[in-house]
Amino acid sequence: MLSLRQDAKYALIIPTSIGVRIQPLNGVPVHTSDTFSMHVTSAESNVASVASYLGLPVKILTAFVKDSPISALIKSNLRSRGMDYEGRDVEQGGPWGYRHQFNIADSGFGVRGPRVHNDRAGEVGRTLNVRDFDLERIFGSEGAQILHLSGLIAALSPETGEFCIELAKAAKKHGTLISFDLNHRASFWKNREGELGELFGRIASLTDILIGNEEDFQLALGISGPETGAGIAGKTDSFKAMIGEVKKAYPDTSVFANTLRQVISANRHLWGALMLEGDNWHTARAREIDVLDRIGGGDGFVGGMLYGILKGWAPEKWIQFGWASGALATTYSTDYNQPADEEQIWSIWHGNARVRR
């Protein structure tokens, strides 16, 4: 049902706004720490990391602040992760002008949940505009097998929303599959519910692969679903019914995926997933996983599932590899996966954490 373009230069093309995450060491809260680490991050480049570390060609579309040391750090990091990138260098415009986002977070510990503070004032990624990219070259002469879009980029600004629409149209014109992770964020949607609800519906109507977590389909697309929280592992049938309603609303979409997470403590989760491919259900039952840092787990799932599609595996393996890739992401202090090889991820699916020598 999903047909990948065989002459494409890139397996994945992904638009994103990249910044840095600042976090205290040793899992302590931000307000009590005087020692911090910093690394490059964005939800969308997190998705791309699975494919890039496993050897598939990936291209990032973004924007940079000209002559910024943070911009230089980001470019170096993307190169180290095996990713090509393209984007305009935007003049900072003085100390009150543009910058890359700061994501200030602690990972929580035990009964103390994680807390994330997004500082995105003046974010250069909000300027992403279709006029800054040659879409005919990117999707025509170069080509991509999958364009992956995120609701975080779609909701950044009215300009980035239209940017996502135009990317999707260009991708579809040239036979590129379109993946959309809804990634609803309440703070982005505040006082913009009508505008963003319409926008997300337009993007979803163009997609081949539509992905959400326990709440995304309900909050971003207005589809009724079960209550989330405790007991989520026992609500599989209710989530299947919800995805069935999503399929009725978006009949041209081929694959629907829904991650399921129940938080036992900051370091112990029930982690599962559902996927509807055509008329076929595939399930990764909820299992307990140990969590070093939960941020990026959902991105790891998406990256793993897309990798399975790109490799041409049987559909049941897409969700298995996605589940295990998401679980792997929660074992890093960075937000993104850095898998050594496919075997490392498959070992997680099979529950094998034995020493490999």
Side-chain angles (χ1 to χ4, degrees):
M1 193 173 293
L2 294 179
S3 179
L4 293 167
R5 180 175 165 181
Q6 297 305 308
D7 64 341
K9 179 178 180 179
Y10 293 104
L12 282 170
I13 286 181
I14 301 182
T16 187
S17 175
I18 311 179
V20 292
R21 178 178 172 186
I22 302 170
Q23 62 192 55
L25 300 183
N26 303 316
V28 300
V30 170
H31 70 282
T32 67
S33 181
D34 59 5
T35 307
F36 295 80
S37 65
M38 184 173 77
H39 66 262
V40 172
T41 187
S42 77
E44 301 76 32
S45 61
N46 293 348
V47 170
S49 277
V50 179
S52 69
Y53 272 95
L54 294 178
L56 296 184
V58 171
K59 187 171 192 176
I60 296 294
L61 306 180
T62 191
F64 302 99
V65 177
K66 187 177 181 180
D67 299 326
S68 161
I70 301 298
S71 175
L73 174 69
I74 291 169
K75 291 177 180 180
S76 176
N77 175 265
L78 293 177
R79 288 192 294 267
S80 74
R81 290 154 73 180
M83 300 180 191
D84 289 350
Y85 58 82
E86 180 176 337
R88 184 165 67 101
D89 286 308
V90 180
E91 294 284 352
Q92 181 183 0
W96 317 120
Y98 289 115
R99 62 168 174 162
H100 292 277
Q101 62 159 304
F102 286 84
N103 184 282
I104 305 167
D106 74 77
S107 56
F109 186 82
V111 296
R112 192 189 81 243
R115 289 197 172 188
V116 180
H117 179 76
N118 288 307
D119 187 348
R120 308 185 75 138
E123 182 174 351
V124 70
R126 300 188 76 210
T127 71
L128 283 168
N129 193 296
V130 69
R131 293 191 300 270
D132 297 327
F133 299 90
D134 182 349
L135 299 191
E136 191 62 30
R137 169 181 55 80
I138 291 170
F139 290 103
S141 58
E142 293 180 351
Q145 293 183 302
I146 296 177
L147 166 70
H148 177 67
L149 301 172
S150 164
L152 296 176
I153 301 304
L156 267 185
S157 69
E159 290 77 15
T160 61
E162 285 304 311
F163 178 55
C164 289
I165 290 286
E166 293 303 317
L167 289 178
K169 288 179 179 178
K172 190 166 284 290
K173 173 184 174 183
H174 290 287
T176 295
L177 296 177
I178 301 165
S179 166
F180 184 30
D181 184 356
L182 294 167
N183 258 333
H184 180 275
R185 292 292 184 276
S187 56
F188 286 25
W189 280 63
K190 187 175 181 180
N191 300 322
R192 300 176 67 201
E193 290 83 359
E195 168 201 349
L196 291 180
E198 179 184 2
L199 173 68
F200 276 52
R202 289 172 64 197
I203 297 173
S205 69
L206 295 169
T207 61
D208 301 283
I209 305 159
L210 190 55
I211 307 161
N213 65 13
E214 307 88 8
E215 299 178 316
D216 284 341
F217 289 110
Q218 303 178 54
L219 297 175
L221 299 180
I223 304 294
S224 297
E227 293 184 7
T228 60
I232 200 168
K235 299 177 181 177
T236 299
D237 289 343
S238 297
F239 280 104
K240 283 185 175 181
M242 179 191 72
I243 294 176
E245 292 303 310
V246 180
K247 183 176 181 179
K248 290 178 185 177
Y250 301 97
D252 294 332
T253 301
S254 300
V255 177
F256 302 86
N258 191 175
T259 58
L260 303 172
R261 185 198 305 262
Q262 181 177 327
V263 176
I264 300 169
S265 74
N267 309 108
R268 196 74 171 165
H269 293 178
L270 279 174
W271 176 240
L274 295 171
M275 186 182 78
L276 179 61
E277 162 264 328
D279 295 320
N280 305 308
W281 282 104
H282 306 278
T283 304
R285 66 175 179 82
R287 288 189 259 169
E288 286 194 10
I289 60 170
D290 296 301
V291 176
L292 177 64
D293 189 321
R294 68 168 285 170
I295 297 172
D299 302 325
F301 170 84
V302 176
M305 190 182 85
L306 295 182
Y307 181 81
I309 293 171
L310 289 164
K311 294 289 285 186
W313 294 342
E316 63 266 20
K317 293 186 178 296
W318 304 348
I319 190 173
Q320 293 170 3
F321 201 76
W323 180 93
S325 178
L328 175 63
T330 68
T331 69
Y332 292 105
S333 57
T334 57
D335 302 348
Y336 55 85
N337 264 337
Q338 302 170 63
D341 46 38
E342 290 179 8
E343 181 188 356
Q344 185 177 55
I345 296 178
W346 280 121
S347 293
I348 294 172
W349 172 254
H350 294 300
N352 178 15
R354 294 175 62 84
V355 176
R356 174 181 164 180
R357 293 187 172 92

